[in-house]
Amino acid sequence: MNLTDLSTVRDIMERFGISTKKKYGQNFLINQSVPERIAREGTGIQNCGVLEIGPGIGTLTACLCKNAKKVVAVEIDDSLIPVLDYTLAEFDNVTVLHADILKTPLQPLMDNYFSDCDCVYVCANLPYYITSDILMYLIESGIPFKALTVMVQKEFADRIVAPAGSADYGAVTAAVQYFGKPQKLFKVAPGNFLPAPKVDSAVLRIDLYEEKPVKPQNEALFRRIIRLAFEQRRKTLVNALAGKVPISKEALSDILVSLSLPADVRGEKLSVEQFAMISDRIHSTEQAAL
């Protein structure tokens, strides 16, 4: 069954009485090369498992089933569950779960379905309105995913791969780059979807670090500093942190000078490594004052 053939997609939608739901950000792929490439570049190790989020009618899922030992597809839309039973009937290595991924405990899911896999990848065509929430939920879970390969709005992909100092660089950029190495694989034009979205999409792969190259002494403080630094981008880092970290503005300025950074530097100019150094100095200063 060719799930990217336009007549097949329309036949399935008519047969099951379904339509794409805007509230779930649903757009079905109608170009077979796109899911095939996502499956090929989003996996790698032969004895691997894949967690897919938002399988839709199973277009990417079918490609993943051909590339992986086991696929678990989590779908929030109950109307698509019988559709997936139909479109994926030929595969015996897939499990479809009706659930909201943001309310699904990930460790039990891993234990129940992927215990016999050498590693687990994530592949997903993420709803644009909730991309950041899902991405950070997965990354912050502590689950040792090998890599996350996701279809997102192109502008979001540009933000995630942006270098420090660029206009696209932000808190989510620094957070993702702390956990892994992102790369934008390829762009996907609106005409590859039914219905066609009004924006370009891109496929983003994030290879998670087995051992993070940046190791702040106090991770909670480090991540809070990043968040505060970007809440009001026009503020200098000192003013953004003033009164919200356990040292004075003067001490903050001294820390920046000691790291050869301008006293009026803004968060958007700082790399993940520099945020970690600032965080460590604040932590050390706080501990010394106790």
Side-chain angles (χ1 to χ4, degrees):
M1 186 184 303
N2 183 355
L3 296 176
T4 58
D5 175 69
L6 194 54
S7 62
T8 300
V9 173
R10 286 174 172 158
D11 177 67
I12 289 170
M13 294 175 72
E14 183 178 348
R15 176 186 299 226
F16 288 91
I18 63 169
S19 59
T20 54
K21 294 183 175 67
K22 189 174 182 179
K23 69 175 181 177
Y24 293 138
Q26 291 174 346
N27 302 89
F28 300 149
L29 282 165
I30 53 172
N31 180 343
Q32 185 65 20
S33 67
V34 176
E36 287 178 349
R37 186 172 178 185
I38 295 173
R40 184 173 64 252
E41 299 191 32
T43 59
I45 297 174
Q46 187 173 9
N47 193 39
C48 71
V50 178
L51 171 62
E52 185 191 8
I53 299 160
I57 63 171
T59 310
L60 173 59
T61 322
C63 296
L64 293 171
C65 287
K66 298 173 183 177
N67 282 56
K69 176 180 181 178
K70 186 178 296 184
V71 177
V72 174
V74 179
E75 176 55 58
I76 192 172
D77 185 354
D78 59 352
S79 71
L80 291 178
I81 302 305
V83 178
L84 290 163
D85 288 341
Y86 170 71
T87 59
L88 301 175
E90 66 180 284
F91 301 104
D92 60 5
N93 61 336
V94 60
T95 300
V96 176
L97 301 178
H98 176 217
D100 179 345
I101 191 64
L102 291 174
K103 297 178 182 178
T104 302
L106 295 178
Q107 190 59 61
L109 186 151
M110 297 289 289
D111 294 340
N112 291 336
Y113 295 101
F114 296 118
S115 59
D116 59 343
C117 295
D118 291 341
C119 65
V120 178
Y121 294 86
V122 172
C123 288
N125 183 2
L126 293 178
Y128 296 157
Y129 72 97
I130 203 169
T131 296
S132 183
D133 290 345
I134 295 178
L135 201 57
M136 294 313 299
Y137 179 67
L138 295 167
I139 289 175
E140 293 174 343
S141 69
I143 303 297
F145 296 116
K146 186 73 173 176
L148 289 73
T149 302
V150 292
M151 177 102 71
V152 297
Q153 188 171 335
K154 178 183 174 294
E155 285 73 13
F156 183 85
D158 290 339
R159 285 167 55 199
I160 297 302
V161 301
S166 66
D168 288 330
Y169 186 72
V172 69
T173 315
V176 169
Q177 292 182 9
Y178 168 61
F179 284 100
K181 183 178 181 180
Q183 58 177 315
K184 189 166 65 173
L185 297 181
F186 59 97
K187 189 174 79 171
V188 184
N192 291 284
F193 298 93
L194 178 72
K198 296 180 180 179
V199 296
D200 285 329
S201 303
V203 176
L204 178 74
R205 173 169 167 141
I206 304 165
D207 289 275
L208 299 184
Y209 295 124
E210 292 184 17
E211 186 171 346
K212 298 185 189 75
V214 175
K215 299 176 181 178
Q217 296 172 15
N218 184 330
E219 185 177 282
L221 175 63
F222 162 74
R223 294 178 61 190
R224 183 155 62 94
I225 288 170
I226 290 176
R227 177 176 54 79
L228 291 169
F230 289 99
E231 280 186 347
Q232 299 182 63
R233 291 180 69 100
R234 292 188 178 184
K235 282 191 173 184
T236 65
L237 183 69
V238 169
N239 287 332
L241 300 185
K244 299 173 183 176
V245 293
I247 63 173
S248 67
K249 287 181 68 172
E250 293 74 18
L252 279 169
S253 295
D254 290 343
I255 286 173
L256 295 181
V257 171
S258 72
L259 294 172
S260 301
L261 292 168
D264 61 351
V265 71
R266 290 178 169 81
E268 64 197 48
K269 300 294 184 181
L270 299 171
S271 66
V272 174
E273 292 80 5
Q274 289 171 319
F275 273 120
M277 288 190 289
I278 293 167
S279 171
D280 286 351
R281 294 290 180 91
I282 293 174
H283 178 70
S284 297
T285 302
E286 178 191 16
Q287 292 300 305
L290 295 178

